[in-house]
Amino acid sequence: EVHLAESGGGSAQAGGSLTLSCVVSGYNSGSYWMGWFRQAPEKGREGVAVVDNDGATAYADSVKGRFAISQDKLKNSYDLHMNALKLEDSAMYYCVAVPITMTAVQALAVMKRISQEYWGQGTQVTVSS
């Protein structure tokens, strides 16, 4: 059973930065895309970023050039570095594991409907002007 624990959310001003962290246990890192999705009130989930065990990444168009996902294999952790934050980045952010049997772009799309067993409790990000 995959267990994911997020941390690092909080408040930031527009243009600022935050880093989210996710520690994962109970999984085979080679079997999943690891990533983040977000959900704002009254909006659907949006896949934000993914990385595989070899370091391949993919990002939503809305965050390209501003966000970066990294991994620490020794710690089984995955960080989302968020820069140049915008008001519309405000949301709950969830760490998620997506089975590797698809492309990175497909993994971002699958995040919209993947079942709760594959994601953590979430961490809130609030961006203010």
Side-chain angles (χ1 to χ4, degrees), residues 25-93:
S25 60
Y27 79 130
N28 179 346
S29 62
S31 299
Y32 296 96
W33 289 101
M34 297 303 303
W36 295 83
F37 71 83
R38 64 187 180 186
Q39 187 163 19
E42 301 182 359
K43 292 187 178 180
R45 298 181 206 169
E46 178 187 21
V48 173
V50 288
V51 62
D52 74 0
N53 200 46
D54 294 326
T57 59
Y59 297 92
D61 288 344
S62 59
V63 306
K64 280 181 183 176
R66 301 188 298 120
F67 290 13
I69 188 169
S70 64
Q71 60 180 324
D72 184 330
K73 295 182 181 181
L74 292 178
K75 296 180 180 179
N76 287 340
S77 66
Y78 301 86
D79 289 354
L80 184 67
H81 307 275
M82 306 185 293
N83 301 305
L85 285 165
K86 302 178 179 180
L87 297 179
E88 53 263 41
D89 293 321
S90 295
M92 280 292 287
Y93 283 72

Side-chain angles (χ1 to χ4, degrees), residues 92-120:
M92 280 292 287
Y93 283 72
Y94 298 86
C95 182
V96 59
V98 181
I100 202 70
T101 56
M102 63 188 74
T103 67
V105 173
Q106 291 171 332
L108 287 174
V110 163
M111 288 180 186
K112 294 181 180 179
R113 59 183 185 275
I114 197 167
S115 63
Q116 193 170 359
E117 67 187 284
Y118 292 104
W119 34 283

